[in-house]
């Protein structure tokens, strides 16, 4: 028996010794830079790992024998190495991976493994993947790491990190270099494809890999677009390594948030990858009566049957329940006369929205030089709205004077739907002509948007008629006998005025059956466009040229679904020329000229009372700049000088009989300088910063007083900085701290030149603690409790920013 025990003990000892060998090492690039988050694997026995942020890796628990080790990283050629291990051996390897530009994706298929504030490549600037340093145009971006570190959940919170970008209102509504774009303008992008949102609520960011803005007119790439730039939201794509995380947040304004992100391979050969992002939010606001209940389900699949073919599928479903906030109202010409928390809503109000976005894409390589890509995206939006809102003016007294402490009110009850389709196809061909390298693209785009029949709205507004059987839209003291008057001789409103001196009394539940309503349909609209384009990315030594031209035809069905329906067509040729010169491996300089356009038809304006027809917006931009990398390519800096001109911009006509009436002005000009900085100063010190000087004003107008006026809600100067430092040693090991600030100077408002918004400077901070797979994070925003406004139309419709607030997040990765 003792012999048997001894035999088993020796066998166990030998077995444990036999599996004590390991392979360790480091992955570097040809420039001796660490290759982070690369995949290292052995097929038999099946073992795998990924390199850390220094490029180091380790595979343990191996027996003596021969192995083939595979090394792969995005942007590098897959490498394999045959090794022999002896018992107890620690085999150390240094693997140099060769960059493979042929692996640049035509469509973004697999996820980004880097974990920093820096992004090196983009699809937005050239239709296919291109190194940002080689793109002859400025791009601002925020990676998911920066978004997470700041505790941001909405795109509107993210754009403060971008030079030249600011909020116009607190909806999905921003300005880029002084030109406004919003979620309802059908020029925003998701993964480089045209889509839209409901405008009223900012898109959530938990399923996004990054948010980026391509500056300047981009019509040569995407068709009709704003001259300031386009905003592109890039979704998280599947990874070929399992990576899962969950987080829970709570904080100011009764915020509760739960997020989850799961990804990895579904098959042993990694030909099918998945990613699933989930989000739930239940939060109130510093604004009276406001709340947000959101749910997000965002699955993604990547099918890679061979190294020549890939297929992607993405779905984003968002369900939102909230109240539509029309902004803060103050006493006439007295900005600080009411609290920034005051809203004009009633407890009856609600806004229910549903959005789905489905994307499929195919990428196939016929040869090493020729490939084909096709992508299709469909967006569906459903709105169900009840709101008490201001009529954008103060209440009328019987003598026709205004009551500066009361807002005239109206009620909207509305249901409508919206559908957007976008198809993008192109061939890519790589060729050489002598010393010139060509990356040619020829493509076709098609897009359409429809607001179908069936949308409708009930409106209660104005003042009651003398018989108290209906209402008159506005009060005219010259016809006082036509109105129902109270004991003081004042007209009786159809919807009670909002009393700014006693807001709580005006926010109570209302008996909405007592209002008089008028019904009208939400006019159905339909537009379509198609574009054909060619582009060549030419490389000649240190010089690169990006040259393209696009023909676009836009068709709007005016009076859609009515007997008078007719097609209104507009078309445009759009050139694009850009040059990039590599001064040295760390510095590129560039110059570019681009043109843009944007139709101004019934479909794009979505307002039957706006007037028209109007000529399309026409724009052009000249931009020069430089792009530089520092600290061994860890920190990236872009400096851009630009000048944009646009004509035919629509401004409000200020017609009291029709407050929605628009009029075109002659010309606007935007010029300035932008600086963006993103990346790492050291391995544990990250930074993101931006600065903008933007002079954007009207240069030609039929109204002389308007010339020289700064465009609305656009500060002449703005900037931000955010920096994080992680402690690696000592008593503070595993801790991190971050601090940031952003500022904006004085801004004019869109409805008046006399009223302005003051500048502001905000300070934010965060603390982090990471231990093993757990993360604790505390964010504090607007630490000094600054009162400020992100934008406004006038003193009746102001959009205040949040006071001091905090958010605590607990996370776990596995």
């Amino acid at each position: 028996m003792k012999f048997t025990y001894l035999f088993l003990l020796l066998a166990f000892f030998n077995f444990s010794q036999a599996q004590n060998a390991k392979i360790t090492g480091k992955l570097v690039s040809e420039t001796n830079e660490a290759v982070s988050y690369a995949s290292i694997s052995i097929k038999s026995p099946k073992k795998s790992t990924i390199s850390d942020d220094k490029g180091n890796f380790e595979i343990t628990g191996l027996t003596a024998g021969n192995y083939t080790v595979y090394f792969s990283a995005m942007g590098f050629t897959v490498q394999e190495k045959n090794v022999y291990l002896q018992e107890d051996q620690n085999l150390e390897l240094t693997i140099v991976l060769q960059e493979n530009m042929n692996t640049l994706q035509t469509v973004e298929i697999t996820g980004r493994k880097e974990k920093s504030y820096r992004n090196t490549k983009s699809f937005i600037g050239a239709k296919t993947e291109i190194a940002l340093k080689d793109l002859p145009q400025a791009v601002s971006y925020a990676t998911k790491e920066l978004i997470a570190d700041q505790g941001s959940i909405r795109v509107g919170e993210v754009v403060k990190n971008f030079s030249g970008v600011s909020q116009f209102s607190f909806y999905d509504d921003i300005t880029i270099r002084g030109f406004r774009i919003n979620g309802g303008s059908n020029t925003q992008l998701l993964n480089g494809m045209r889509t839209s949102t409901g405008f009223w609520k900012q898109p959530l960011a938990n399923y996004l890999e990054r948010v980026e803005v391509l500056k300047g007119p981009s019509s040569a790439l995407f068709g009709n677009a704003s001259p300031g730039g386009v905003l592109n939201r890039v979704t998280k794509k599947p990874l070929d390594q399992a990576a899962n995380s969950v987080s829970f947040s709570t904080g100011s304004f009764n915020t509760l948030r739960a997020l989850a992100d799961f990804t990895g391979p579904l098959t042993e050969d990694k030909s099918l990858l998945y990613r699933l992002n989930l989000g739930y939010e239940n939060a109130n606001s510093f604004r009276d009566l406001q709340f947000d209940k959101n749910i997000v389900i965002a699955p993604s699949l990547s099918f890679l049957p061979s190294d020549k073919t890939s297929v992607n599928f993405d779905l984003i479903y968002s369900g939102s329940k909230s109240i539509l906030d029309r902004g803060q109202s103050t006493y006439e010409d007295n900005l600080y006369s009411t609290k920034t928390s005051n809203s004009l809503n009633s407890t009856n109000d609600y806004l229910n929205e549903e959005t789905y976005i489905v994307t499929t894409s195919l990428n196939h390589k016929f040869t090493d030089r020729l490939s084909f890509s096709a992508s299709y995206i469909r967006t569906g939006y459903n709105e169900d709205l009840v709101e008490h809102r201001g009529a954008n003016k103060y209440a009328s007294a019987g003598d026709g004077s205004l009551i500066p402490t009361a807002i005239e009110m109206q009620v909207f009850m509305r249901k409508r739907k919206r559908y957007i389709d976008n198809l993008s196809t192109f061939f890519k061909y790589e060729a050489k002509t002598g010393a010139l390298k060509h990356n040619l693209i020829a493509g076709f785009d098609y897009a359409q948007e429809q607001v179908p029949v069936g949308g409708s709205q009930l409106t209660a507004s104005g003042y009651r008629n003398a018989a108290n059987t209906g209402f008159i839209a506005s009060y005219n003291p010259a016809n006082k006998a036509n109105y129902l008057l109270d004991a003081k001789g004042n007209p009786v409103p159809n919807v009670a005025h909002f009393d700014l001196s006693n807001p709580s009394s005006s926010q109570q539940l209302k008996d909405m059956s007592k209002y008089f309503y008028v019904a009208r349909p939400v006019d159905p609209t339909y537009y379509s466009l198609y574009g054909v384009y060619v582009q060549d990315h030419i490389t000649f030594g240190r010089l690169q040229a990006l040259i393209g031209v696009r023909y676009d035809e836009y068709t709007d069905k005016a009076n859609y679904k009515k007997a008078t329906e007719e097609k209104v067509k507009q078309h445009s040729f759009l050139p694009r020329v850009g040059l990039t010169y590599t001064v040295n491996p760390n510095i590129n300089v560039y110059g570019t000229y681009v043109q843009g356009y944007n139709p101004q038809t019934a479909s794009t304006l979505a307002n039957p009372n706006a007037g028209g027809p109007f000529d399309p917006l026409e724009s052009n931009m000249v931009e020069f700049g430089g792009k530089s990398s520092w600290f061994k390519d860890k920190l990236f800096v872009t400096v851009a000088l630009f000048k944009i001109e646009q004509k035919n911009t629509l401004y409000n006509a200020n017609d009291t009989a029709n407050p929605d009436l628009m009029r075109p002005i002659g010309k606007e000009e935007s010029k300035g300088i932008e600086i963006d900085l993103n990346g790492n100063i050291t391995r544990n010190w990250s930074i993101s910063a931006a600065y903008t000087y933007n002079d954007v004003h009207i240069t030609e107008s039929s109204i002389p007083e308007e010339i020289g006026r700064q465009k609305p809600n656009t500060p002449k100067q703005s900037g931000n900085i955010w920096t994080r430092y992680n402690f690696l040693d000592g008593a503070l090991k595993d801790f991190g701290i971050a601090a940031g600030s952003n500022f904006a100077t004085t801004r004019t408002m869109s409805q008046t030149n006399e009223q302005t918004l003051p500048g502001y400077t905000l300070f934010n901070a965060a603390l982090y603690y990471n231990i093993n797979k757990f993360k604790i994070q505390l964010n504090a925003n607007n630490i000094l409790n600054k009162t400020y406004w992100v934008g406004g139309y006038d003193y009746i419709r102001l959009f205040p920013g949040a006071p001091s607030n905090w958010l605590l997040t607990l996370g776990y990765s596995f």
Side-chain angles (χ1 to χ4, degrees):
M1 182 66 69
K2 291 182 179 180
F3 176 78
T4 302
Y5 286 146
L6 180 61
F7 176 79
L8 291 174
L9 181 62
L10 289 173
F12 175 77
F13 177 78
N14 289 332
F15 179 76
S16 61
Q17 287 290 97
Q19 299 187 75
N20 223 16
K22 62 181 179 180
I23 301 173
T24 61
K26 184 172 184 177
L27 297 181
V28 296
S29 66
E30 293 173 288
T31 58
N32 202 35
E33 290 299 309
V35 179
S36 306
Y37 312 109
S39 175
I40 304 97
S41 62
I42 299 172
K43 290 188 176 180
S44 180
K46 184 180 177 183
K47 286 182 175 292
S48 64
T49 187
I50 59 174
S51 59
D52 63 17
D53 56 356
K54 295 182 180 179
N56 298 317
F57 68 91
E58 181 180 75
I59 299 178
T60 59
L62 299 174
T63 60
N66 293 301
Y67 296 92
T68 301
V69 189
Y70 298 88
F71 307 90
S72 63
M74 193 172 298
F76 295 89
T77 301
V78 176
Q79 188 170 324
E80 60 181 73
K81 186 174 182 63
N82 295 315
V83 299
Y84 176 77
L85 280 179
Q86 299 177 0
E87 283 190 23
D88 299 329
Q89 183 181 6
N90 178 11
L91 180 62
E92 294 187 10
L93 302 175
T94 298
I95 304 298
V96 180
L97 295 182
Q98 295 181 337
E99 189 171 1
N100 182 2
M101 295 305 291
N102 291 328
T103 64
L104 295 183
Q105 303 173 55
T106 308
V107 177
E108 195 154 5
I109 300 161
T110 55
R112 166 181 168 273
K113 294 182 179 179
E114 293 82 1
K115 294 184 178 180
S116 80
Y117 292 176
R118 183 189 172 189
N119 182 48
T120 57
K121 295 179 174 65
S122 178
F123 293 76
I124 191 176
K127 282 284 188 177
T128 62
E129 187 175 350
I130 186 173
L132 283 175
K133 66 177 183 178
D134 296 331
L135 181 66
Q137 212 161 330
V139 175
S140 295
Y141 61 85
T143 64
K144 66 179 184 296
E145 289 76 25
L146 175 60
I147 295 171
D149 281 357
Q150 293 181 342
S152 300
I153 192 62
R154 287 173 172 77
V155 171
E157 301 168 3
V158 175
V159 299
K160 68 176 182 287
N161 297 290
F162 303 158
S163 65
V165 183
S166 57
Q167 287 184 257
F168 192 96
S169 65
F170 46 39
Y171 308 132
D172 183 16
D173 188 15
I174 62 174
T175 65
I176 305 175
R177 291 181 173 176
F179 299 96
R180 185 182 183 184
I181 67 168
N182 57 62
S185 63
N186 63 58
T187 58
Q188 291 200 28
L189 305 177
L190 181 78
N191 297 323
M193 301 282 285
R194 301 166 68 90
T195 185
S196 183
T197 66
F199 175 65
W200 306 121
K201 296 295 177 179
Q202 298 173 13
L204 299 181
N206 65 296
Y207 56 88
L208 296 181
E209 175 64 45
R210 63 184 179 275
V211 180
E212 56 190 5
V213 172
L214 176 67
K215 306 295 184 59
S218 58
S219 297
L221 288 172
F222 305 107
N224 62 300
S226 165
V230 293
L231 185 144
N232 185 37
R233 292 172 287 145
V234 182
T235 58
K236 294 176 182 176
K237 300 297 189 299
L239 299 175
D240 58 7
Q241 294 285 338
N244 308 299
S245 65
V246 293
S247 68
F248 301 90
S249 301
T250 186
S252 298
F253 319 129
N254 298 311
T255 296
L256 174 65
R257 189 181 300 158
L259 307 176
D261 183 1
F262 309 108
T263 185
L266 288 173
T267 57
E268 186 174 345
D269 62 358
K270 299 184 179 181
S271 62
L272 184 61
L273 313 176
Y274 85 97
R275 194 154 193 166
L276 176 63
N277 276 270
L278 303 172
Y280 172 78
E281 181 186 41
N282 188 343
N284 293 335
S285 167
F286 74 98
R287 303 274 297 149
D288 295 340
L289 304 181
Q290 297 297 313
F291 68 90
D292 271 294
K293 293 182 179 179
N294 295 295
I295 183 170
V296 174
I297 304 172
S300 177
L301 292 173
S302 292
F303 179 47
L304 312 170
S306 70
D307 59 356
K308 295 183 180 296
T309 304
S310 58
V311 180
N312 255 72
F313 170 83
D314 290 273
L315 168 66
I316 302 168
Y317 170 82
S318 299
S320 173
K321 295 182 182 297
S322 64
I323 289 179
L324 174 52
D325 188 353
R326 292 285 184 169
Q328 174 198 4
S329 296
T330 68
Y331 296 179
E332 191 174 12
D333 296 327
N334 190 345
L335 181 61
Y336 295 94
S337 57
T338 62
K339 295 181 179 180
T340 58
S341 60
N342 286 359
S343 76
L344 303 184
N345 293 105
S346 167
T347 311
N348 304 64
D349 297 348
Y350 64 83
L351 171 62
N352 296 335
E353 297 177 292
E354 277 191 328
T355 304
Y356 69 83
I357 305 175
V358 181
T359 308
T360 57
S361 60
L362 166 70
N363 182 31
H364 180 73
K365 292 181 67 174
F366 296 100
T367 68
D368 288 339
R369 293 185 175 183
L370 178 64
S371 62
F372 171 75
S373 292
S375 300
Y376 168 75
I377 184 171
R378 179 169 178 82
T379 303
Y381 171 75
N382 183 40
E383 177 189 86
D384 182 8
L385 169 71
V386 170
E387 64 165 334
H388 287 74
R389 55 161 296 183
N392 308 331
K393 53 186 175 181
Y394 293 98
S396 294
D399 60 1
S401 63
L402 298 179
I403 305 173
T405 60
I407 302 297
E408 185 176 313
M409 295 294 289
Q410 55 187 338
V411 168
F412 287 175
M413 301 173 66
R414 183 173 64 233
K415 292 189 178 184
R416 61 180 175 178
K417 297 180 180 181
R418 189 179 185 199
Y419 300 100
I420 302 170
D421 297 272
N422 184 198
L423 173 68
S424 177
T425 64
F426 61 88
F427 287 91
K428 174 184 172 184
Y429 184 71
E430 299 176 13
K432 281 188 177 183
T433 56
L436 301 179
K437 296 180 181 179
H438 300 268
N439 194 336
L440 287 158
I441 290 176
F444 170 82
D445 291 342
Y446 175 80
Q448 67 178 36
E449 179 176 339
Q450 180 188 28
V451 175
V453 172
S456 60
Q457 177 172 301
L458 292 176
T459 303
S461 63
Y463 295 84
R464 302 198 170 201
N465 61 26
N468 200 20
T469 57
F471 69 91
I472 304 171
S474 60
Y475 178 66
N476 183 354
N479 301 320
K480 195 171 184 179
N482 296 335
Y483 298 85
L484 180 67
L485 305 177
D486 63 16
K488 296 181 180 181
N490 295 321
V492 177
N494 184 21
V495 179
H497 299 321
F498 191 97
D499 185 357
L500 294 176
S501 64
N502 187 11
S504 61
S505 65
S506 298
Q507 294 169 337
Q508 297 173 1
L509 280 168
K510 307 292 195 307
D511 185 353
M512 298 178 64
S513 66
K514 299 293 180 65
Y515 304 150
F516 294 111
Y517 296 92
V518 60
R520 70 168 180 85
V522 174
D523 285 347
T525 60
Y526 179 91
Y527 81 83
S528 64
L529 66 86
Y530 74 86
V532 291
Y533 60 91
V534 291
Q535 175 183 282
D536 192 5
H537 184 193
I538 304 169
T539 303
F540 177 63
R542 294 186 175 189
L543 184 65
Q544 299 178 65
L546 196 60
I547 302 171
V549 63
R550 179 186 178 104
Y551 171 79
D552 235 37
E553 182 169 289
Y554 179 95
T555 302
D556 180 33
K557 292 186 177 180
N559 301 313
Y560 180 53
K561 294 291 186 179
K562 299 178 182 177
T564 55
E565 179 181 312
E566 62 175 330
K567 290 184 178 180
V568 178
K569 291 190 176 183
Q570 297 177 351
H571 62 86
S572 183
F573 282 97
L574 302 161
R576 180 194 193 196
V577 180
L579 297 175
T580 302
Y581 181 74
T582 301
V583 179
N584 59 47
N586 297 103
I587 299 176
N588 282 9
V589 294
Y590 71 90
T592 192
Y593 173 80
V594 291
Q595 290 185 358
Y597 91 108
N598 208 350
Q600 301 189 108
T601 60
S603 293
T604 57
L605 296 177
N607 185 351
N609 301 316
F614 301 107
D615 292 331
L617 294 167
E618 297 178 11
S619 59
N620 66 79
M621 181 189 75
V622 177
E623 179 178 304
F624 296 96
K627 301 181 180 184
S628 177
S629 59
W630 297 80
F631 304 111
K632 298 182 179 180
D633 290 334
K634 297 298 184 183
L635 186 69
F636 196 72
V637 181
T638 299
V639 179
L641 297 164
F642 62 89
K643 179 181 178 181
I644 302 172
E645 292 183 333
Q646 177 173 267
K647 61 181 182 180
N648 302 326
T649 307
L650 297 181
Y651 276 69
N652 193 282
N654 295 320
D655 186 330
T656 55
N658 181 9
D660 293 331
L661 187 66
M662 306 297 288
R663 61 178 174 84
I665 65 165
K667 187 181 292 185
E668 298 171 309
E669 180 182 275
S670 173
K671 57 186 177 182
I673 183 171
E674 296 174 343
I675 303 172
D676 285 275
L677 182 151
N678 291 281
N680 291 66
I681 297 175
T682 65
R683 182 169 61 89
N684 55 321
W685 184 7
S686 303
I687 188 170
S688 174
Y691 169 78
T692 305
Y693 175 82
N694 189 189
D695 181 12
V696 52
H697 57 272
I698 299 171
T699 57
E700 294 180 10
S701 175
S702 58
I703 303 176
E705 293 79 12
E706 288 186 333
I707 297 176
R709 176 183 173 184
Q710 183 85 354
K711 278 182 67 66
N713 295 317
T714 302
K716 276 199 173 182
Q717 295 189 72
S718 60
N720 72 277
I721 184 170
W722 176 268
T723 183
R724 171 175 173 167
Y725 186 85
N726 296 322
F727 295 93
L728 302 180
D729 302 296
L732 295 178
K733 183 182 179 182
D734 300 323
F735 280 90
I737 59 172
S741 177
N742 59 289
F743 79 93
T745 55
T746 304
R747 290 140 292 148
T748 61
M749 290 188 281
S750 58
Q751 299 297 314
T752 174
N753 197 29
E754 289 73 29
Q755 296 175 336
T756 61
L757 293 173
Y760 61 87
T761 300
L762 307 179
F763 295 94
N764 311 306
L767 294 173
Y768 312 92
Y769 179 64
N770 293 272
I771 180 168
N772 297 326
K773 298 179 180 181
F774 289 92
K775 176 185 74 172
I776 302 174
Q777 176 177 331
L778 177 64
N779 289 86
N781 300 309
N782 193 4
I783 295 172
L784 300 182
N785 201 28
K786 177 73 173 179
T787 298
Y788 71 104
W789 292 265
V790 300
Y793 296 111
D794 50 33
Y795 281 5
I796 295 179
R797 288 174 291 173
L798 293 162
F799 303 109
S804 293
N805 61 90
W806 60 273
L807 185 73
L808 176 66
T809 300
L810 304 177
Y812 179 70
S813 301
F814 56 98

